[in-house]
Amino acid sequence: DAGVTQTPRHEVAEKGQTIILKCEPVSGHNDLFWYRQTKIQGLELLSYFRSKSLMEDGGAFKDRFKAEMLNSSFSTLKIQPTEPKDSAVYLCASRVNTGQLYFGEGSKLTVL
Amino acid sequence: QQKVQQSPESLIVPEGGMASLNCTSSDRNVDYFWWYRQHSGKSPKMLMSIFSNGEKEEGRFTVHLNKASLHTSLHIRDSQPSDSALYLCAASNMGYKLTFGTGTSLLVDP
């Protein structure tokens, strides 16, 4: 079985640009999470979907971050406009109900 | 907002030694705890989970949970260089979203 697939693995953006990160969850998983990981803040929840419905939108990340799940096998995270402080690794994870999370390899974003 | 605190921030143990990592949640509604391990440059992978008071052992790894104090600990005996990684603790309420701590960076010194 394929795991969680994230693309691109690396992205370099200029300040003010729009970037879109993509995620394909494990087939059959009904929960999908987007996290941002930095050394200082650790893993911060950006969005949480259950059966394609948005359950949590990460509060402080609402204004420039928008996650969507158009179907059960694909999700996107849009950051618009990007700022240098958005430089981080963005992790997508999926699970079945309340089971363990399976993480993708992450998308490393660098904003200049 | 729910917080998950981990200690110590970093830890060095000799090869063959015992590593002990701690984690506490500030949310009294939490009922599940998870331990994930993240090797450098890789994604986190689940190591163990616990939701009942007491102890759970899997090979060299033992997890303790005290639900009254919302404290869990992970103990690694006979530590190996391959155990060097970032250890993340996460807590959830009724299996809902997981909130992660900032992790303990473990280095096993050969």
Side-chain angles (χ1 to χ4, degrees):
Chain A
D1 278 345
V4 176
T5 303
Q6 289 189 247
T7 55
R9 293 295 311 279
H10 301 273
E11 179 82 56
V12 179
E14 296 284 338
K15 179 183 171 182
Q17 269 188 282
T18 296
I19 65 105
I20 296 176
L21 306 177
K22 304 178 182 78
C23 174
E24 295 174 37
V26 176
S27 177
H29 284 192
N30 57 338
D31 278 6
L32 185 140
F33 297 79
W34 283 99
Y35 286 94
R36 181 171 83 173
Q37 185 175 31
T38 60
K39 278 193 168 27
I40 294 173
Q41 298 293 338
L43 272 88
E44 299 171 283
L45 180 67
L46 302 175
S47 293
Y48 164 33
F49 293 88
R50 170 159 285 183
S51 300
K52 300 187 294 177
S53 296
L54 182 64
M55 306 297 288
E56 181 92 21
D57 65 4
F61 295 96
K62 273 186 203 179
D63 56 346
R64 296 182 299 107
F65 293 73
K66 185 177 175 62
E68 290 186 311
M69 197 158 184
L70 301 177
N71 59 59
S72 60
S73 58
F74 186 71
S75 176
T76 58
L77 175 66
K78 181 192 285 188
I79 309 175
Q80 177 183 39
T82 51
E83 298 181 7
K85 65 181 179 182
D86 299 331
S87 297
V89 175
Y90 290 82
L91 290 165
C92 178
S94 69
R95 69 177 181 186
V96 174
N97 297 326
T98 59
Q100 66 166 301
L101 283 183
Y102 290 84
F103 284 86
E105 292 300 310
S107 293
K108 183 175 181 180
L109 173 65
T110 302
V111 183
L112 305 174
Chain B
Q1 188 177 354
Q2 182 192 146
K3 284 259 189 205
V4 175
Q5 300 286 348
Q6 290 189 246
S7 64
E9 192 173 307
S10 61
L11 181 63
I12 301 175
V13 299
E15 184 174 355
M18 172 77 87
S20 294
L21 292 67
N22 298 291
C23 173
T24 303
S25 172
S26 61
D27 182 354
R28 296 227 60 88
N29 295 313
V30 156
D31 56 3
Y32 260 84
F33 285 87
W34 310 78
W35 285 95
Y36 283 76
R37 181 166 70 178
Q38 185 177 24
H39 285 107
S40 182
K42 301 292 186 183
S43 61
K45 288 186 171 43
M46 196 198 78
L47 206 52
M48 293 181 74
S49 63
I50 189 165
F51 59 90
S52 298
N53 259 333
E55 179 181 299
K56 185 174 172 182
E57 183 178 328
E58 290 181 6
R60 297 184 294 109
F61 299 85
T62 302
V63 172
H64 293 268
L65 175 61
N66 181 326
K67 294 189 92 168
S69 59
L70 297 177
H71 178 261
T72 179
S73 57
L74 172 68
H75 305 272
I76 307 171
R77 61 176 172 82
D78 188 24
S79 296
Q80 301 298 307
S82 58
D83 295 328
S84 297
L86 180 68
Y87 287 79
L88 296 161
C89 174
S92 68
N93 170 22
M94 299 284 289
Y96 193 58
K97 65 177 181 178
L98 273 72
T99 299
F100 284 84
T102 51
T104 292
S105 181
L106 172 65
L107 178 64
V108 179
D109 197 3

